[in-house]
């Protein structure tokens, strides 16, 4: 009898209890996560080397959007904020 892969069976992954599922996941397009109770940000978007917190999922790069990713001037990832039409980088030594 052939084993059926869990990803082929609807409801095979229990989403109501704590669990650990090992493996590697790769995505061919951006991934967007929506919180159950949106506060300051409407969604989290992962695209390329950046993780974005967006205020409006229908319009990318709004003033106040945040992202973490490769630095434009330091040799480390940094927190960056979209402000006045461009991404402004925060100094990695600043306390938020």
């Amino acid at each position: 009898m052939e084993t059926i892969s869990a990803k082929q069976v609807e409801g095979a992954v229990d989403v109501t209890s704590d669990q650990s599922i090992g493996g590697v996941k790769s995505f061919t397009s951006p991934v967007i996560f929506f919180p159950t109770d949106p506060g300051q940000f409407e969604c989290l978007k992962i695209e390329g080397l950046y993780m974005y917190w967006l205020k409006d999922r229908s319009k990318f790069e709004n003033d106040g959007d945040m992202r973490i990713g490769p630095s434009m001037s330091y040799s480390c990832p940094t927190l960056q904020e979209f402000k006045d039409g461009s991404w402004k980088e925060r100094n990695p030594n600043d306390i938020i």
Side-chain angles (χ1 to χ4, degrees):
M1 180 175 193
E2 187 176 331
T3 303
I4 298 174
S5 174
K7 67 181 178 181
Q8 295 174 321
V9 179
E10 183 70 30
V13 177
D14 176 8
V15 295
T16 59
S17 62
D18 290 341
Q19 58 188 298
S20 176
I21 301 172
V24 175
K25 185 67 87 175
S26 60
F27 300 93
T28 56
S29 61
V31 180
I32 299 177
F33 300 93
F34 300 98
T36 54
D37 183 21
Q40 185 178 0
F41 297 99
E42 184 178 331
C43 67
L44 169 74
K45 178 179 182 179
I46 301 174
E47 183 173 1
L49 298 175
Y50 292 94
M51 184 181 305
Y52 297 88
W53 286 266
L54 303 176
K55 293 183 173 289
D56 181 356
R57 66 180 161 182
S58 65
K59 182 177 179 277
F60 190 64
E61 297 185 330
N62 290 293
D63 273 1
D65 285 350
M66 305 290 284
R67 73 180 184 184
I68 291 179
S71 173
M72 298 173 274
S73 54
Y74 301 98
S75 59
C76 63
T78 58
L79 180 63
Q80 302 158 24
E81 181 176 2
F82 195 79
K83 199 173 194 178
D84 301 324
S86 65
W87 289 102
K88 311 292 186 204
E89 192 164 53
R90 294 192 180 184
N91 186 313
N93 296 320
D94 288 347
I95 297 176
I96 297 172

